[in-house]
């Protein structure tokens, strides 16, 4: 028993990897579709957008790159669908150079699906260097920070930006972030200086670290990981890739829980045997 | 030389540090203009810094190829990939899409960059499992608390857990909003005090090791 | 409101007479725009009514009750920018006071350099890690995190690198520092070079020990994981700020059997570092590292100053919680004068 326990504790991690792969793949092939509960932090984002008057200005910052696509793309798609359905004017941008193409693709796809027009209903500004410095520049003059959008169209005079001079004219802002520059940077250099309301969306890995900002009101809502995206999809009543992925996430969590349980059983067996031999 | 490498950077740090600490309290347009201008300088400097990085990559891999160290072939792959991306980038005029049609750069982005980066991130799921298996053991009372909290949050954050044990949802919300926030706030306060102290040390020239050569006061 | 006394007036606000009072909590007591109980309306420059500096504006008030209404006299005011945001005066006072505490602590440490520092196991293990690398003839891998030189954690990581490099030079071990930021790389090159000179081994310094990989998060991670698997460093240092890449780096390092020391202020990544590394410096321990490793009185003094600052914050937290609770229980806003001192007003 002792030898078995020792062998199991030092199990080849590739076996664990295989179990995880199976836990991800099987539910994707045979989904079991359980209901999704809505957390107050996700509902807060939904409610805020829901309460915005038509043609309000909504800024969505895609602060991620393709590596976080599975978690953050469903959040972006759900938010854009909601914003376009509410007939908001949407400004998009990114602080992550390698995320520019992905962000533009998401924007164009959802806008086409919702029948929205570039330049009139939305604009994608693209990427510009500087992160915090860029946000400060946008807070002073949006047109100097981004003289043209991602399509090289001059931003000055664009119908979607009518009445928008700087970040002060933004009604709501959400940063979908996989790291830095992201939510904290937007709060420090953006909301704190230019006084707009903002929320965050993040990968599951960094979401728990953002709860203090949520509790203190520095962000008014938080969409955390795939679970948060699935909750938002449920709220807007349009199921997407996040809802589909939740079964796989459920199964993976359970495999990890079982592994942790087994590891502890073997650990106590070993400790018990060692205690006896002493 | 010592003036350029030590006194001048310290003087610049002091002047700019004090000026922009005070700037925070001044809502005057002149002060706002100043921070905008400095932000632009920083953007320009970060652009130039890229050249430093490129020079480093070229140097390191050139040395590897020259000395034919084990795996030097990969350095050639790196040069080839860089060159190919630059050529394709120029050819596509830096655009990933033109009038909705995918360019060559767009193809490179969608079919190499996106899946490669996705692969790297997805490895996280496997590593989390192997790290949890190795580390989550009830070795002590504190480790047991960590173990129980982790299992509860893992249950409460997914529909299957919420379905099997509905109360884990409320416990998870409480753990994240109360316990987690309280602990992180405590760490944040400590970190912030440390940041303020280190910033003051740098502005006042007390900490100068980041300039190289330790402290010589 | 109008741009001239004779110009047409535009309605900028309308509200019931029992709302929009100047009340505690909206403004600090030392910067209230009007007396308690007065009404106020905050006007923000907008496309509909732009407010420009140096331009006079005219305001008049209409009070209405049922069908009766009364107009006030026209008041004139010229828009002018403020030189100082008085609402943030408390913030400035605290910064100045903390600077004073810090300088006093440094002066005290200079007079009496024997300040006790609690042991930080992670920093005690630095020597052991370098010694192990030397014995095994394998390199030491040192990462400075994902931030640029504008992040305090990166600065702290570069400062610790200086101390580590001195020991590495002394033991004649090989050091590898892959970077995500070219400016951090340039700074680290200088620091490592100077450390080798300080250790009396300028001949052993190699310029390519610091090298740039890419600024992209996961490309960098893949490259560093590759270095770990190919060169099998005996010791891995992860200092600075990290995001999702932390576990990918440390788990790969753990699989190669390296001794791993992490130090980060990225609190969201602490669980990963704690489970996969041998030692983890948590939060401010990272900033304290340079003082701990060098034992210089000036740096150690600042730690004492930091502790005093933290004690004051803890005191303010306890006092504030008690007074706010008491205020609610007694139904009074009398404590708001004291509580305002610790609030963040914009």
């Amino acid at each position: 028993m002792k030898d078995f326990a020792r062998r199991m504790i030092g199990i080849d991690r590739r076996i664990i990897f295989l179990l995880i792969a199976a836990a991800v793949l099987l539910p994707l092939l045979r989904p079991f579709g359980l209901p999704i509960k809505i957390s107050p932090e996700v509902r807060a984002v939904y409610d805020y957008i829901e309460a915005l008057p038509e043609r309000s200005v909504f800024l969505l910052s895609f602060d991620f790159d393709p590596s976080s696509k599975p978690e953050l793309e469903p959040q972006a798609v759900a938010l854009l669908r909601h914003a376009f359905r509410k007939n908001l004017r949407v400004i998009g941008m990114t602080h992550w150079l390698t995320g520019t193409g992905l962000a533009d693709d998401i924007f164009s796809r959802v806008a086409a699906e919702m029948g929205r027009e570039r330049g009139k209903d939305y604009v994608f500004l693209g990427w510009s260097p500087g992160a915090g410095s860029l946000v400060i520049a946008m807070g002073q003059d949006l047109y100097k920070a981004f003289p043209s959008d991602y399509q090289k169209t001059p931003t000055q005079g664009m119908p979607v930006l009518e009445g928008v001079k700087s970040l002060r004219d933004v009604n709501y802002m959400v940063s979908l972030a996989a790291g830095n520059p992201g939510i904290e940077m937007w709060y420090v250099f953006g909301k704190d200086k230019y006084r707009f309301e903002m929320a965050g969306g993040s990968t599951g890995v960094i979401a728990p670290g953002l709860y203090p900002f949520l509790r203190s009101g520095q962000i008014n809502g938080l969409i955390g990981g795939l679970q948060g995206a699935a909750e938002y999809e449920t709220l807007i009543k349009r199921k997407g890739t996040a809802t589909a992925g939740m079964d796989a996430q459920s199964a993976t969590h359970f495999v990890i829980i079982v592994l942790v349980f087994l590891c502890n059983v073997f650990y106590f067996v070993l400790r018990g045997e060692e205690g006896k031999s002493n | 030389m010592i003036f350029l490498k030590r006194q001048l950077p310290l003087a610049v740090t002091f002047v700019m540090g004090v000026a922009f600490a005070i700037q925070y309290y001044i809502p005057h347009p002149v002060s706002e203009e100043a921070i905008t201008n400095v932000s632009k300088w920083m953007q320009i400097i970060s652009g130039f810094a890229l050249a430093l990085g490129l020079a480093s990559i070229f140097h390191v891999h050139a040395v590897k190829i020259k000395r034919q160290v084990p795996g030097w072939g990969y350095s050639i792959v790196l040069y080839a990939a860089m060159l190919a991306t630059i050529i394709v980038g120029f050819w596509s005029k830096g655009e990933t899409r033109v009038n909705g049609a995918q360019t060559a750069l767009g193809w490179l982005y969608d079919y190499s960059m996106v899946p490669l980066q996705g692969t790297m991130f997805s490895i996280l799921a496997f590593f989390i499992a192997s790290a949890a298996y190795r580390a989550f053991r009830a070795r002590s009372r504190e480790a047991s608390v960590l173990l129980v909290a982790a299992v509860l949050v893992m249950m409460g954050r997914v529909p299957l857990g919420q379905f099997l044990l509905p109360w884990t949802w409320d416990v998870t919300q409480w753990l994240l909003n109360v316990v987690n926030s309280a602990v992180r706030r405590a760490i944040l306060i400590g970190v912030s005090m440390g940041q303020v102290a280190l910033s003051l040390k740098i502005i006042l020239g007390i900490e100068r090791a980041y300039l190289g050569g330790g402290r010589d006061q | 409101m109008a741009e001239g006394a004779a110009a047409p007036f535009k309605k900028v606000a309308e509200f019931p007479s029992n709302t929009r009072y100047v009340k505690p909590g909206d403004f600090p007591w030392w910067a209230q725009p009007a007396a308690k109980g007065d009404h106020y309306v905050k006007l923000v420059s907008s496309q509909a009514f732009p407010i420009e500096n140096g331009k006079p504006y005219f305001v008049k008030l209409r009070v209405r009750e049922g069908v009766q209404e009364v107009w006030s006299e026209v008041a004139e005011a010229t828009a002018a920018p403020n030189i100082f945001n008085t609402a943030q005066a408390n913030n400035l006072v605290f910064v100045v006071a903390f600077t004073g505490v810090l300088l006093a602590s440094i002066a005290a440490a200079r007079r009496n350099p024997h300040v006790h520092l609690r042991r930080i196991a992670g920093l005690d293990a630095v020597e052991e890690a370098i010694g192990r690398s030397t014995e095994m003839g394998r390199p030491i891998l040192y990462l400075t995190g994902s931030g640029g030189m504008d992040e305090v954690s990166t600065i702290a990581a570069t400062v610790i690198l200086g101390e580590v490099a001195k020991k590495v030079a002394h033991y004649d071990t090989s050091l590898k520092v892959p970077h995500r930021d070219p400016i951090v790389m340039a700074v680290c090159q200088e620091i490592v070079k100077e450390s080798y000179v300080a250790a009396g081994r300028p001949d052993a310094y190699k310029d390519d020990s610091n090298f740039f990989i890419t600024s992209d998060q996961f490309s960098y991670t893949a490259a560093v994981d590759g270095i770990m698997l190919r060169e099998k460093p005996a010791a891995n240092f992860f200092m600075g700020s990290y995001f999702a890449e932390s576990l990918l780096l440390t788990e790969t390092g753990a699989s190669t059997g390296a001794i791993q020391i992490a130090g980060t202020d990225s609190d969201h990544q602490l669980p990963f570092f704690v489970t996969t590394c041998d030692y983890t410096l948590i939060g401010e321990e990272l900033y304290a590292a340079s003082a701990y490793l060098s034992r210089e009185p000036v740096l150690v003094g600042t730690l004492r100053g930091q502790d005093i600052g933290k004690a004051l914050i803890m005191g303010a937290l306890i006092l504030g919680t008690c007074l706010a609770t008491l205020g609610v229980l007694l139904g009074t806003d009398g404590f708001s004068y004291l509580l305002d001192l610790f609030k963040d007003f914009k």
Side-chain angles (χ1 to χ4, degrees):
Chain A
M1 186 64 189
K2 192 175 152 188
D3 285 343
F4 178 71
R6 185 167 290 130
R7 260 209 320 274
M8 290 311 288
I9 270 196
I11 193 173
D12 188 336
R13 59 187 195 143
R14 282 172 294 189
I15 295 171
I16 298 173
F17 294 169
L18 271 176
L19 289 171
I20 294 294
V24 172
L25 279 173
L26 294 177
L28 285 176
L29 297 171
R30 291 284 304 264
F32 39 88
L34 288 164
I36 287 155
K37 275 192 181 179
I38 313 295
S39 57
E41 52 269 25
V42 175
R43 185 174 287 281
V45 183
Y46 174 83
D47 287 347
Y48 200 92
I49 293 181
E50 197 60 23
L52 285 174
E54 278 195 17
R55 304 300 286 169
S56 295
V57 180
F58 173 52
L59 173 65
L60 186 62
S61 190
F62 295 73
D63 301 323
F64 61 95
D65 60 10
S67 59
S68 327
K69 184 184 168 188
E71 279 190 286
L72 293 174
E73 190 190 62
Q75 294 187 13
V77 170
L79 279 166
L80 283 174
R81 278 180 179 156
H82 191 200
F84 285 140
R85 199 173 69 193
K86 287 288 301 173
N87 197 17
L88 304 182
R89 289 183 283 163
V90 186
I91 304 173
M93 61 173 291
T94 176
H95 283 292
W96 290 41
L97 177 61
T98 46
T100 321
L102 177 66
D104 184 52
D105 180 51
I106 297 170
F107 231 119
S108 317
R109 206 159 16 96
V110 182
E113 170 198 310
M114 304 291 286
R116 298 290 156 183
E117 208 180 303
R118 194 184 281 266
K120 184 172 155 262
D121 301 306
Y122 76 96
V123 58
F124 180 61
L125 300 173
W127 173 87
S128 186
S133 323
L134 177 67
V135 173
I136 293 171
M138 288 173 76
Q140 299 299 316
D141 190 336
L142 188 74
Y143 302 99
K144 278 188 187 161
F146 283 101
S148 60
D149 73 352
Y150 186 57
Q151 306 264 314
K152 308 276 187 299
T153 314
T155 44
Q156 196 76 254
M158 255 187 198
V160 64
L161 295 174
E162 196 188 327
V164 180
K165 282 201 291 194
S166 69
L167 286 180
R168 289 180 205 273
D169 303 306
V170 166
N171 300 97
Y172 196 44
M173 188 268 151
V174 177
S175 165
L176 299 179
N180 199 23
I183 298 164
E184 276 180 71
M185 186 275 297
W186 268 107
Y187 173 74
V188 173
F189 297 104
K191 182 184 172 178
D192 196 36
K193 283 182 83 69
Y194 305 110
R195 324 279 158 80
F196 48 80
E197 190 53 273
M198 74 167 279
S202 71
T203 50
V205 179
I206 62 170
L210 295 164
Y211 275 81
F213 300 105
L214 182 71
R215 300 283 294 170
S216 60
Q218 286 161 309
I219 52 174
N220 87 321
L222 176 67
I223 310 174
L226 200 66
Q227 163 79 18
E231 289 176 33
Y232 211 91
E233 284 177 357
T234 310
L235 280 167
I236 60 164
K237 298 184 180 69
R238 278 284 301 265
K239 288 191 177 172
T241 50
T243 311
M246 280 319 289
D247 289 343
Q249 193 156 325
S250 288
T252 315
H253 279 208
F254 269 79
V255 168
I256 296 177
I257 290 170
V258 171
L259 283 172
V260 168
F261 174 76
L262 287 175
C263 156
N264 276 280
V265 170
F266 299 135
Y267 172 68
F268 280 110
V269 167
L270 267 182
R271 211 166 72 165
E273 296 275 336
E274 274 159 21
K276 266 186 229 162
S277 60
N278 290 335
Chain B
M1 196 62 185
I2 193 83
F3 172 76
L4 281 179
K5 287 188 83 171
R6 192 53 51 93
Q7 282 134 338
L8 184 66
L10 284 176
V12 171
T13 308
F14 178 76
V15 172
M16 297 303 270
V18 171
F20 285 92
I22 294 171
Q23 188 278 334
Y24 180 74
Y25 304 99
I26 304 172
H28 198 278
V30 174
S31 138
E32 299 282 316
E33 188 70 28
I35 194 155
T36 310
N37 283 334
V38 171
S39 308
K40 282 180 193 156
W41 299 350
M42 282 165 68
Q43 286 181 17
I44 294 165
I45 292 170
S46 60
F48 275 110
L50 203 61
L52 270 178
L54 273 175
S56 169
I57 289 180
F58 274 107
H59 173 72
V60 167
H61 290 278
V63 170
K64 277 188 181 173
I65 295 169
K66 201 170 140 193
R67 291 187 193 152
Q68 301 208 336
V69 295
W72 62 276
Y74 293 114
S75 296
I76 293 178
V77 174
L78 179 124
Y79 278 137
M82 265 174 85
L83 196 68
T85 312
I86 290 169
I87 291 170
V88 169
F90 273 113
W91 188 40
S92 309
K93 296 191 180 94
E95 304 284 349
T96 50
R97 263 178 186 74
V98 174
N99 300 327
Q102 193 178 51
T103 62
L105 184 65
W107 188 90
L108 262 184
Y109 183 85
D110 287 347
Y111 299 110
S112 64
M113 184 101 169
V114 173
L116 282 172
Q117 290 214 346
T119 306
M120 276 311 290
F121 191 69
S122 63
I123 294 174
L124 204 56
F126 299 95
F127 281 13
I128 282 176
S130 65
Y133 184 78
R134 216 182 43 245
F136 275 160
R137 286 177 205 169
R139 288 191 185 96
S140 61
R141 218 177 305 163
E142 291 86 350
S144 310
V145 172
L146 186 74
L147 179 69
V148 172
V151 170
L152 285 174
V153 173
M154 276 194 279
M155 291 281 276
R157 284 295 289 174
V158 289
L160 187 58
Q162 293 156 18
F163 177 73
L164 294 173
L165 297 170
W167 53 270
T168 53
W169 165 262
D170 296 314
V171 175
T172 301
Q173 287 294 319
W174 182 79
L175 281 173
L176 283 172
N177 279 295
V178 180
V179 184
N180 165 62
S181 288
V183 172
R184 283 177 196 277
R185 262 185 209 152
I187 295 176
L188 271 177
I189 290 173
V191 164
S192 306
M193 293 301 290
Q195 287 191 339
V196 175
L198 188 56
S199 304
L200 283 171
K201 281 194 285 183
I202 290 167
I203 291 172
L204 299 174
I206 296 164
E207 176 65 82
R208 49 182 81 171
Y210 69 99
L211 292 171
R215 300 151 202 93
D216 57 357
Q217 67 249 329
Chain C
M1 192 161 168
E3 291 183 355
F9 276 75
K10 283 183 188 169
K11 185 169 81 179
V12 289
E14 185 176 6
F15 55 91
S17 60
N18 59 349
T19 59
R20 299 211 194 171
Y21 288 115
V22 173
K23 55 180 191 303
D26 290 352
F27 305 98
W29 52 262
W30 62 89
Q32 285 204 335
K36 191 180 154 189
D38 285 350
H39 293 285
Y40 78 94
V41 170
K42 196 172 180 179
L43 284 176
V44 179
S45 181
S46 64
Q47 192 82 357
F49 201 98
I51 300 171
E52 286 168 36
N53 288 327
K55 213 170 153 183
Y57 293 93
F58 300 84
V59 183
K60 64 178 177 177
L61 186 72
R62 182 172 67 168
V63 181
R64 201 171 57 194
E65 188 178 7
V67 287
Q68 284 185 312
E69 59 176 45
V70 186
W71 283 96
S72 72
E73 294 279 308
V74 175
E76 184 192 342
T78 304
N82 289 333
I83 295 293
F84 178 66
N85 185 357
T86 44
Q88 289 177 326
N90 57 342
N91 187 309
L92 181 61
V93 169
F94 284 127
V95 170
V96 172
F98 185 56
T99 310
V101 168
L102 215 59
L103 292 175
S105 305
I106 291 169
R110 274 194 172 128
R111 281 194 304 275
N112 174 21
H114 305 291
V115 178
H116 169 73
L117 281 182
R118 78 172 163 84
R119 288 192 62 197
I120 301 177
L123 293 174
D124 289 340
V126 168
E127 193 97 26
E128 177 200 335
I130 298 170
R132 191 165 172 258
S133 300
T134 314
E135 278 171 23
M136 296 170 83
R138 289 199 205 150
I140 286 164
L141 189 69
Y142 191 103
L143 310 186
T144 54
S146 63
M149 277 316 284
D150 55 340
E151 275 187 38
V152 180
S153 56
T154 313
I155 296 176
T158 60
V159 171
I160 301 169
L161 173 65
E163 299 294 333
V164 170
K166 273 183 207 159
K167 293 185 166 68
V168 167
H170 178 73
Y171 283 101
D172 203 13
T173 311
S174 139
L175 176 69
K176 282 194 172 288
V177 195
H179 289 280
R180 270 182 75 173
D181 185 304
I183 297 179
V184 179
M185 180 194 73
V187 170
C188 288
Q189 273 174 339
E190 199 61 27
I191 288 175
V192 173
K193 196 177 184 177
E194 297 274 0
S195 294
Y196 273 74
V197 172
R201 296 296 316 276
D203 52 307
Y205 171 72
K206 288 191 191 89
D207 209 26
D208 53 7
S209 58
N210 282 275
F211 54 96
F212 177 76
I213 291 181
T214 169
S215 53
D216 184 68
Q217 185 183 20
F218 287 104
S219 311
Y220 173 83
T221 310
V224 174
D225 280 355
I227 293 171
M228 285 177 182
L229 293 171
R230 282 192 303 275
E231 304 188 20
K232 299 211 166 17
N236 296 331
F237 290 87
F238 306 96
M239 301 290 169
S241 67
Y242 292 85
F243 288 91
E245 71 277 13
S246 66
L247 185 67
L248 296 177
L249 294 167
T250 53
E251 182 64 3
T252 308
S255 74
T256 63
I259 182 167
Q260 304 203 99
I261 302 174
T264 186
D265 58 357
S266 308
D267 53 324
H268 42 81
Q269 297 307 308
L270 281 173
F272 298 130
F273 282 123
V274 170
T275 41
T276 50
C277 291
D278 299 282
Y279 302 96
T280 307
L281 307 179
I282 297 173
E284 69 212 282
E285 284 179 346
L286 174 68
Y287 311 135
S290 63
Y292 191 90
L293 289 169
S294 66
R295 302 272 165 175
E296 277 194 41
V298 173
L299 296 179
V300 174
T302 56
L303 290 185
R304 176 64 59 90
Q306 246 168 275
D307 282 350
I308 296 171
K310 259 201 291 186
L312 289 174
I313 286 184
M314 281 194 280
L317 279 174
I318 295 165
L319 185 72
T321 311
C322 292
L323 289 182
T325 313
L326 213 59
V328 173
L329 290 174
L330 300 175
T332 171
D333 54 22
F335 300 121
S336 62
Y337 289 97
L338 201 62
L339 293 173
D340 276 2
L341 289 175
F342 303 102
K343 274 192 186 162
D344 176 32
F345 293 100
K346 298 294 174 199

